Amino acid sequence: MKKQKSKQEHIIIPKKAFIPIVCLMPLAGVIIAKGNAGALVVLIIGVTAGIFIGKGFFEK
């Protein structure tokens, strides 16, 4: 018997936001290569906040 997951356990990323997120991966690699952890944390927080803001915007 499979356990059904509730909708709250999934984050759906809109197609319009997926391409810029994928484009940020090389930028994150460059930041990691330079050893600048602070900039990487800011980038990750910004992307995460953008996903949640976009999710709320597209649900309405």
Side-chain angles (χ1 to χ4, degrees):
M1 181 179 262
K2 290 184 179 181
K3 184 179 176 183
Q4 297 268 338
K5 291 185 177 182
S6 67
K7 287 187 176 184
Q8 295 176 354
E9 294 181 15
H10 298 285
I11 296 175
I12 298 172
I13 301 173
K15 289 182 182 179
K16 292 179 182 179
F18 183 71
I19 294 173
I21 291 170
V22 171
C23 293
L24 287 174
M25 293 305 148
L27 178 63
V30 170
I31 292 172
I32 291 171
K34 290 186 176 184
N36 194 352
L40 182 62
V41 170
V42 170
L43 178 69
I44 291 171
I45 291 171
V47 169
T48 305
I51 289 170
F52 285 116
I53 289 169
K55 181 182 176 212
F57 179 75
F58 288 113
E59 282 181 353
K60 292 181 181 180

